[in-house]
Amino acid sequence: HHGAQCFDQYWQQLGVTPLPTGGRHARHFADLAHAQLLDLHCAAGRPAQVIFAVPGYLTRDQLAVLLGIAHAAPFRIAGLIDAALAATAYSTLSGDILHLDLLRHCTLLTSLHAGAEIKRREVRVLPEIGLNLFHERWARHIAERFIASHRYDPLHTGAGEQALRNALPGWLTALGTRPEIHARLQGPRGPLQIALTAAELTERAAPLYAALDSALANFDNATRLLTPSLALLPDMVHRIPGRTLAPEAVGAGCLTYLPHIAARPTNVLITRVPAPEVCTGRS
């Protein structure tokens, strides 16, 4: 898992910078991205053409590297669109909108306006608030709880740490619908269990929640659109009133705009689209 910690930032660091440790199969971050791109294409059933819905943090140079990698792949690029724009278009909201997305290494705030057209206005990256940081705090907290209750530290061994990290997303999903759950891990002499509450996890991540609150203070009047990754965090939907996007929003938005995307040059990132003529009442 240490390798994953080193290399799961390659989409953020997309480029031909050599990897920190020379790998046998990958020379730089672009090689890793290429390998994952082929895996994703395979998992999607090997479509002949692909739309890239990209996060707003990618720079012009990084987009150029992405297109370069994709040109060596066995599919045609239909176009590039900002992912927050695609999701917002699918939501059929109007007026000022703030799209919030929680990624592994940052939170992305995308300010948009939807009228006769839907356009991206501003992208703000919050590198101090990423899903990894939430998980890090919560893994340590849960380990402390297991130590206090059972004298067992899951973070003491690689296998224990992996088991805890594998279980964490499921626990978080469960805590999204109820205030307390039983968290169970396999100890050296059998299964061990603690009662875990959403309130204690929220308290443990208080600095991250506070940082997000202060970043949002600049966007007072906009309707909030939360991606599921953010909405799933304990207490988040109560803290940030707004709409939670459906998991398929980005993909469905891309399909809605397929003719528009296909008519644009494939190397130009689309940051504005016409408003859908017919509001179908999707949510």
Side-chain angles (χ1 to χ4, degrees):
H1 67 283
H2 292 297
Q5 286 173 348
C6 293
F7 298 146
D8 66 356
Q9 295 199 47
Y10 54 86
W11 287 109
Q12 266 89 343
Q13 299 173 9
L14 193 54
V16 289
T17 312
L19 287 172
T21 53
R24 217 153 38 96
H25 303 295
R27 294 156 301 156
H28 34 63
F29 289 107
D31 280 356
L32 288 173
H34 181 254
Q36 192 187 4
L37 210 51
L38 294 182
D39 283 349
L40 289 169
H41 181 243
C42 200
R46 294 190 173 87
Q49 57 176 353
V50 169
I51 294 169
F52 283 119
V54 298
Y57 63 71
L58 287 182
T59 64
R60 191 184 291 260
D61 287 347
Q62 288 174 319
L63 286 171
V65 173
L66 173 61
L67 290 170
I69 294 165
H71 280 306
F75 54 76
R76 195 175 74 75
I77 304 160
L80 288 170
I81 187 169
D82 178 86
L85 175 68
T88 301
Y90 178 71
S91 77
T92 68
L93 288 173
S94 59
D96 291 332
I97 296 155
L98 183 66
H99 178 279
L100 296 92
D101 195 5
L102 177 68
L103 303 164
R104 291 177 73 86
H105 298 280
C106 64
T107 292
L108 208 53
L109 304 181
T110 306
S111 160
L112 307 105
H113 182 78
E117 64 173 2
I118 306 162
K119 59 185 174 190
R120 186 181 86 176
R121 285 175 158 174
E122 180 195 352
V123 178
R124 186 170 302 182
V125 182
L126 308 175
E128 71 280 10
I129 313 170
L131 187 59
N132 283 2
L133 291 171
F134 279 100
H135 282 191
E136 207 57 51
R137 281 178 177 269
W138 289 335
R140 285 202 303 269
H141 172 73
I142 292 165
E144 286 163 14
R145 292 283 320 281
F146 272 99
I147 292 166
S149 298
H150 303 289
R151 296 187 178 176
Y152 167 61
D153 181 2
L155 299 182
H156 186 64
T157 64
E161 180 177 356
Q162 197 60 52
L164 190 154
R165 290 185 185 283
N166 289 347
L168 187 56
W171 293 337
L172 293 174
T173 302
L175 284 169
T177 56
R178 48 192 192 273
E180 182 173 307
I181 60 164
H182 293 295
R184 185 173 299 169
L185 282 176
Q186 192 65 28
R189 294 180 203 83
L192 302 170
Q193 180 172 288
I194 59 166
L196 190 63
T197 67
E200 68 188 278
L201 292 189
T202 305
E203 188 182 334
R204 188 59 185 253
L208 298 174
Y209 283 90
L212 186 57
D213 286 340
S214 68
L216 290 179
N218 302 314
F219 299 95
D220 273 345
N221 300 318
T223 303
R224 267 65 160 154
L225 260 186
L226 281 69
T227 58
S229 59
L230 192 69
L232 271 173
L233 296 189
D235 200 39
M236 195 57 86
V237 289
H238 301 120
R239 298 177 76 97
I240 306 176
R243 294 265 293 278
T244 299
L245 282 158
E248 71 275 8
V250 176
C254 288
L255 287 176
T256 302
Y257 283 96
L258 182 55
H260 180 82
I261 294 167
R264 297 288 174 283
T266 55
N267 63 338
V268 175
L269 176 65
I270 295 169
T271 56
R272 55 175 63 199
V273 292
E277 279 93 18
V278 184
C279 185
T280 54
R282 292 169 309 213
S283 63

